[in-house]
Amino acid sequence: MLTISRPRRLAVAAVAAVGAMCVSVLPAAATQAALPSAAHAAASAAVGATTPFSVYEAEAGTPGGGAAVRSLTSAPTTQYSSAALEASGHSYVHLGDTGQSVQWTNTTGQPISFLNVRASIPDSASGGGITGTLNLYVNGVFRQALNLNSKQTWVYEGNGNYNTSDNQNPADGDPRVFWDESHTFVTGAPIPAGATFSLRKDSANSASFYDVDSVDVENPPAPLTQPANSISITSCGAVADNTPTNGAADSQAVDSRAAIQTCIDQAQSQGRTLWIPQGTFYVKGTAGLNAQGITIAGAGLWYSTVYRDVPVPNSTPLAALFDLTSCTVRDFHIDANAVSRSTIGGDGGAMDTTGTDWLADGIWTQHTMSGFWASGTGGKVQNSRLTSIWADGINVNNVSLNADTGNNLTVTDNFVRGTGDDAIAINSVNYNTNSDGSQTFYKPMTNVTVSDNTSIAPWGGKGVGIYGGSGHQVRNNYISDTARYIGLGAGRFGVNGSDLLSATVTGNTVVRSGGNAYSQGQPALHIGNGGDGQNTGTVDKVTVTGNTVNDSLYDGIAFSTSTNTLLQDNTVNDPGRNGIAISPSFYPAPTGSATITGNTVTGLDPGASAFVNNSTGFVATLSDNHWPPPAPEGPYGGTPAAVPGTVQAENYDTGGQGVAYNVTSVNGNANSYRADGVDLDNTSDTGGGYNLGWTGAGQWFRYTVDVATAGTYTVNLRIAAPSAVTGALHLSDASGTNLTGAVDLPVTGDWQTWGTATTHVTLPAGRQTLTLNQDTGGWNFNYLDFTAGTVTPGTNLAAGKPTSESSHTDVYPSSNVTDGNQGSYWESANNAFPQWVQVDLGSARSASRVVLQLPAGWGARNQTLTLGGSTDGTTFTTLKSSAAYTFDPTTRNTVTLTFPATTQRYYRATITANNGWPAGQVSEFQIWAP
């Protein structure tokens, strides 16, 4: 690749604000002076590609005329996009009125003769885009109008189109793909070192707004001349068309496809180089170009262009523009008129490559489905640019052009920005299923190197993805500003991908990455199976050392199922959620193992953890790590909830897994509210906020409360349940004592259709820790409302009422259970379960709570019992299903059973087990009106 005398290693987007879906608008005075990206490179260990250009971020420039910087300010709360989320640096400058501008100073030390502007202008009212110009000024003097367009941006995801790229109907809403890139030479003299240059919206610039993300500046060398022993495509009849494309083809251009293919055939037969001179040469229609064993060279990526023009809408599946076997390609530009990544949008890849020892060097690709889709042995992609690509930038694999091998491939020193899928991917496929149902299998990929690349702002994929194989090296790459997905991932791809059996990931810098695709809160760096949510396959022996993860939108580093990972000497700074997380939301790790040593975590937000393991089956061995100790259990926000009062479900205590809560998996998507991301969902209940969902047996959440006065409280649980749930939950205190007995929940009809269930608790005064225990799943929970003074001794319907029994022993008849004396009791015949005792209210009465007691001085015991009700004393309805209840002297041996209000005359407790004595025992049987 041709470079100027002072190449720059692009490591960091200059002075970019960190944030998320909320957009802030900053006045000009709040911005910083212009700095090229190279100025910040040293702070990031000089990782990334060495390029002949410098990137000036718009937010690092000086806004003028009232222009505003717009930046992400918090992690995304929806799965949809915004211009800020897709911008490099997650920030840009908005030029909305005439006279607004953004200005920089040329600090490169070189003249600037070439600009590449990343910008966004509005769509047309009916979709399909518009064209417009934006004016360039040098030292305050108008220099030229730059052509911009929105013909290859603005797709819409509303109305069921999420994560597609074909819908161009603005009426569907939820836009995506805001940014495109346009380049040109500077008219007149180059911009000298030290001069200012600016982009300004003037009255002649007709678009209603211009959003400016960044501008690449450079001083290209003179065009290369035709090499010896080469054939120029013009000698075979190819004709250049130099009318600017600006998002669409020139309808008057000559189709040079046949001429170029003729010259390729001649070059192959004569052992010569194919030469692409200066100019733009069109390949029209749906057919591409095929070459084997030759070199294809251009005058430089600034000068020689092959432009693919496919009639749109298109119905013919497209191969790549170039199908290449064992070829060398260098020093030219590829562009296309595609408006989406699929057939209808006219999209095909730029280069599909296979064979041995192939080389792609100095290729600039735009607007194609993929840049390089490459297999074979010993190939290399280097010194290339890929900008505004509809799908993958560089995908090295073992399937391209019907190959079955992808070994010893190298991807190095490339600059990739704005891809609709992975910027760079190692894609080892295990098998593909054919149209007849048969399967074709491929050899697992080995020994692929991805090094010293820059991957910025992929809007639909990862910065770097490692999917299967073994022996891979991924090192010294700079990855930033993913819009929706993981920044750097090591795993496997879906159900048909190869297992990942070894890889080394070292020296990479991952900045402002992760995202909320599918509302998953994805991490910045991920190790484990579950490529694209499949949660399948083996990921083993991944070594992750010396990487830096800055300003992740959610967790910094996360694990799903994987084994024998070494996570060593990595640094996580200012994560949006936790520093290192095992089994975070949507990335389950029921099993696995990792050694986690020598890592550093800084800049945690309140409530976040440096390390959290949400899995009971993943064994993490920790040593010599440098991070704050875990937060002790305590009330969320620092202040206990007041009782009487409302305790919100989302405000469970801080302290993390096993301390403040216990969950078997992490599923929540209310990631912007709680750093741990556990089981919270946006609620539709009155008042909004969040509810707790994904309930399951054995899970629990703790809540610290401040009880104003000792006494018995009515507890109204705000719940949603598609079906009635028997024995859904119980509340316990800090010692584990069951305060409510099993609480049944009525059917409400749906997960977001809300109702109320009622129970009662007796609490001492002062600070208490209550645990909401999930005994049976199938319900959502929004809040607990504690009300005092609604339960009084005078409402016991059973007091003094007649009783009956299955049996009794000695002087312990059933009449003792309604005499008001906790010291007297009923005891059944010994060693003969089941036994029952019942109360006759004399007439059918409504009740919703039964309180059973044993003598207060007795030792603790569990009794297994069922509560039934009857109107005739013969046919009984189950009010509480069989369950074990703990009678504990610390709570005066009192058990409370709550149930939906019912009208019965007879209430019967049937006891089937007692671990304290081989008989049924009850001292008081109280029945309380609702």
Side-chain angles (χ1 to χ4, degrees):
M1 178 177 179
L2 296 172
T3 62
I4 59 176
S5 59
R6 294 182 60 187
R8 287 163 175 80
R9 181 176 291 273
L10 284 187
V12 179
V15 195
V18 179
M21 287 297 281
C22 299
V23 178
S24 67
V25 180
L26 305 178
T31 61
Q32 300 187 41
L35 290 172
S37 61
H40 203 196
S44 292
V47 298
T50 300
T51 72
F53 60 89
S54 295
V55 177
Y56 284 77
E57 288 292 324
E59 63 271 20
T62 302
V69 174
R70 294 184 173 178
S71 302
L72 301 174
T73 58
S74 62
T77 58
T78 77
Q79 61 184 346
Y80 293 101
S81 289
S82 72
L85 189 61
E86 293 185 7
S88 61
H90 286 167
S91 296
Y92 63 95
V93 170
H94 177 74
L95 311 180
D97 293 319
T98 299
Q100 292 186 347
S101 64
V102 57
Q103 178 178 288
W104 305 267
T105 299
N106 178 7
T107 58
T108 65
Q110 298 287 326
I112 297 171
S113 59
F114 188 89
L115 302 175
N116 180 58
V117 178
R118 190 169 197 251
S120 175
I121 65 174
D123 197 0
S124 67
S126 58
I130 64 172
T131 60
T133 60
L134 183 61
N135 287 345
L136 170 68
Y137 286 75
V138 177
N139 286 330
V141 177
F142 173 78
R143 177 63 65 88
Q144 70 195 85
L146 307 180
N147 289 322
L148 303 177
N149 75 86
S150 57
K151 291 181 174 294
Q152 294 173 288
T153 54
W154 294 97
V155 298
Y156 299 90
E157 298 185 285
N159 197 26
N161 292 289
Y162 181 69
N163 215 18
T164 63
S165 67
D166 292 322
N167 182 27
Q168 293 183 298
N169 180 16
D172 286 332
D174 293 317
R176 187 187 194 192
V177 192
F178 299 90
W179 303 101
D180 198 4
E181 306 199 12
S182 301
H183 55 263
T184 187
F185 281 91
V186 175
T187 299
I191 302 169
T196 64
F197 62 101
S198 60
L199 300 176
R200 192 169 86 182
K201 180 183 182 334
D202 291 330
S203 58
N205 305 134
S206 58
S208 60
F209 68 80
Y210 295 80
D211 291 336
V212 180
D213 184 28
S214 61
V215 57
D216 307 337
V217 300
E218 59 186 312
N219 188 32
L224 293 170
T225 58
Q226 183 175 349
N229 196 33
S230 65
I231 301 173
S232 173
I233 60 175
T234 57
S235 69
C236 298
V239 177
D241 182 299
N242 295 320
T243 301
T245 55
N246 203 24
D250 177 9
S251 61
Q252 304 303 310
V254 172
D255 180 12
S256 295
R257 192 203 70 80
I260 297 172
Q261 186 63 56
T262 297
C263 268
I264 289 174
D265 296 341
Q266 292 178 10
Q268 289 176 176
S269 63
Q270 299 171 24
R272 300 168 71 184
T273 294
L274 182 75
W275 171 247
I276 304 174
Q278 294 186 65
T280 298
F281 297 90
Y282 276 72
V283 173
K284 293 191 172 186
T286 57
L289 303 165
N290 300 276
Q292 295 186 9
I294 64 170
T295 294
I296 303 174
L301 52 79
W302 309 271
Y303 306 108
S304 300
T305 298
V306 179
Y307 188 93
R308 189 173 205 176
D309 177 15
V310 177
V312 174
N314 173 51
S315 59
T316 303
L318 299 176
L321 173 60
F322 286 94
D323 280 1
L324 304 172
T325 301
S326 303
C327 288
T328 293
V329 292
R330 55 169 32 109
D331 300 322
F332 61 94
H333 178 232
I334 295 174
D335 204 349
N337 69 321
V339 294
S340 79
R341 67 175 290 172
S342 58
T343 299
I344 193 172
D347 209 2
M351 291 185 174
D352 284 3
T353 298
T354 193
T356 58
D357 299 326
W358 51 263
L359 174 65
D361 185 7
I363 304 296
W364 188 353
T365 306
Q366 293 183 277
H367 304 124
T368 59
M369 181 171 68
S370 58
F372 300 96
W373 185 264
S375 61
T377 301
K380 179 183 287 188
V381 182
Q382 67 183 18
N383 303 323
S384 292
R385 307 183 197 182
L386 300 101
T387 56
S388 297
I389 303 293
W390 282 107
D392 288 347
I394 303 171
N395 186 305
V396 289
N397 55 67
N398 55 350
V399 297
S400 178
L401 295 181
N402 299 312
D404 67 352
T405 301
N407 299 331
N408 301 306
L409 304 176
T410 300
V411 179
T412 187
D413 241 13
N414 302 287
F415 180 87
V416 189
R417 180 173 55 204
T419 57
D421 212 315
D422 295 337
I424 299 173
I426 302 170
N427 180 18
S428 183
V429 180
N430 182 23
Y431 68 88
N432 279 325
T433 301
N434 305 311
S435 58
D436 62 359
S438 64
Q439 293 180 330
T440 301
F441 286 83
Y442 308 90
K443 299 180 180 69
M445 296 177 70
T446 60
N447 302 324
V448 175
T449 298
V450 175
S451 66
D452 302 289
N453 302 284
T454 295
S455 298
I456 297 177
W459 50 264
K462 299 179 180 67
V464 173
I466 309 166
Y467 304 114
S470 62
H472 307 319
Q473 299 282 329
V474 177
R475 61 178 184 264
N476 299 335
N477 300 284
Y478 179 81
I479 301 159
S480 73
D481 305 307
T482 56
R484 291 188 173 177
Y485 294 92
I486 291 161
L488 196 166
R492 61 172 263 171
F493 191 86
V495 295
N496 67 322
S498 302
D499 290 333
L500 180 61
L501 301 182
S502 64
T504 298
V505 179
T506 185
N508 303 283
T509 296
V510 183
V511 180
R512 294 180 297 271
S513 293
N516 207 27
Y518 299 99
S519 298
Q520 291 178 345
Q522 299 190 11
L525 193 159
H526 170 248
I527 306 105
N529 69 8
D532 287 7
Q534 299 294 335
N535 302 322
T536 188
T538 298
V539 175
D540 188 40
K541 297 183 179 65
V542 178
T543 297
V544 182
T545 62
N547 302 283
T548 300
V549 179
N550 293 332
D551 303 311
S552 60
L553 294 186
Y554 302 100
D555 298 313
I557 300 174
F559 291 82
S560 58
T561 300
S562 49
T563 51
N564 301 307
T565 301
L566 174 62
L567 188 73
Q568 183 174 15
D569 298 334
N570 302 282
T571 299
V572 178
N573 297 315
D574 303 308
R577 197 158 65 188
N578 299 302
I580 300 170
I582 295 171
S583 191
S585 303
F586 300 97
Y587 289 82
T591 61
S593 61
T595 298
I596 300 175
T597 182
N599 301 285
T600 299
V601 177
T602 69
L604 289 169
D605 288 335
S609 299
F611 173 79
V612 59
N613 187 350
N614 295 313
S615 170
T616 58
F618 192 106
V619 178
T621 303
L622 277 66
S623 65
D624 195 32
N625 295 293
H626 313 288
W627 54 53
E633 184 186 358
Y636 181 74
T639 302
V643 172
T646 300
V647 178
Q648 296 289 342
E650 62 267 33
N651 292 341
Y652 51 85
D653 283 358
T654 57
Q657 169 72 13
V659 177
Y661 59 82
N662 177 66
V663 293
T664 55
S665 62
V666 179
N667 306 289
N669 54 27
N671 299 300
S672 62
Y673 185 73
R674 290 296 298 263
D676 48 47
V678 174
D679 289 0
L680 297 182
D681 195 9
N682 293 289
T683 186
S684 65
D685 198 10
T686 302
Y690 306 96
N691 64 260
L692 190 151
W694 295 280
T695 51
Q699 298 191 148
W700 48 261
F701 288 81
R702 288 185 174 142
Y703 299 86
T704 299
V705 299
D706 192 355
V707 181
T709 305
T712 301
Y713 291 84
T714 298
V715 185
N716 293 309
L717 297 100
R718 192 66 171 168
I719 56 92
S723 302
V725 184
T726 301
L729 62 95
H730 70 278
L731 293 176
S732 59
D733 63 14
S735 65
T737 300
N738 189 329
L739 301 178
T740 61
V743 178
D744 298 333
L745 301 181
V747 59
T748 65
D750 206 347
W751 296 109
Q752 289 294 327
T753 301
W754 293 91
T756 302
T758 301
T759 188
H760 299 82
V761 294
T762 301
L763 300 173
R767 179 173 289 201
Q768 311 292 326
T769 300
L770 303 179
T771 301
L772 182 118
N773 300 273
Q774 301 174 12
D775 301 315
T776 304
W779 47 279
N780 287 347
F781 158 53
N782 192 14
Y783 60 77
L784 300 166
D785 183 66
F786 291 81
T787 304
T790 59
V791 180
T792 64
T795 61
N796 179 14
L797 304 178
K801 298 297 184 181
T803 64
S804 56
E805 64 199 21
S806 56
S807 66
H808 74 271
T809 189
D810 202 2
V811 292
Y812 308 113
S814 62
S815 58
N816 287 340
V817 302
T818 59
D819 65 1
N821 179 8
Q822 190 175 353
S824 65
Y825 60 94
W826 162 77
E827 182 175 303
S828 73
N830 291 184
N831 301 303
F833 291 111
Q835 299 287 341
W836 56 264
V837 60
Q838 75 180 30
V839 177
D840 178 2
L841 297 182
S843 62
R845 301 289 300 275
S846 177
S848 61
R849 179 169 59 104
V850 163
V851 176
L852 301 178
Q853 292 182 321
L854 291 178
W858 283 15
R861 68 201 62 205
N862 293 330
Q863 294 195 76
T864 302
L865 59 88
T866 302
L867 181 66
S870 175
T871 57
D872 59 10
T874 300
T875 302
F876 281 81
T877 299
T878 300
L879 305 180
K880 297 291 290 187
S881 298
S882 178
Y885 295 88
T886 300
F887 293 80
D888 192 319
T890 62
T891 55
R892 295 183 58 79
N893 280 324
T894 298
V895 166
T896 300
L897 288 71
T898 60
F899 43 89
T902 183
T903 301
Q904 309 288 342
R905 174 175 173 176
Y906 302 91
Y907 289 81
R908 174 183 291 184
T910 300
I911 299 172
T912 58
N914 182 347
N915 70 354
W917 193 259
Q921 297 171 314
V922 175
S923 66
E924 283 294 296
F925 192 140
Q926 301 171 357
I927 303 170
W928 298 89

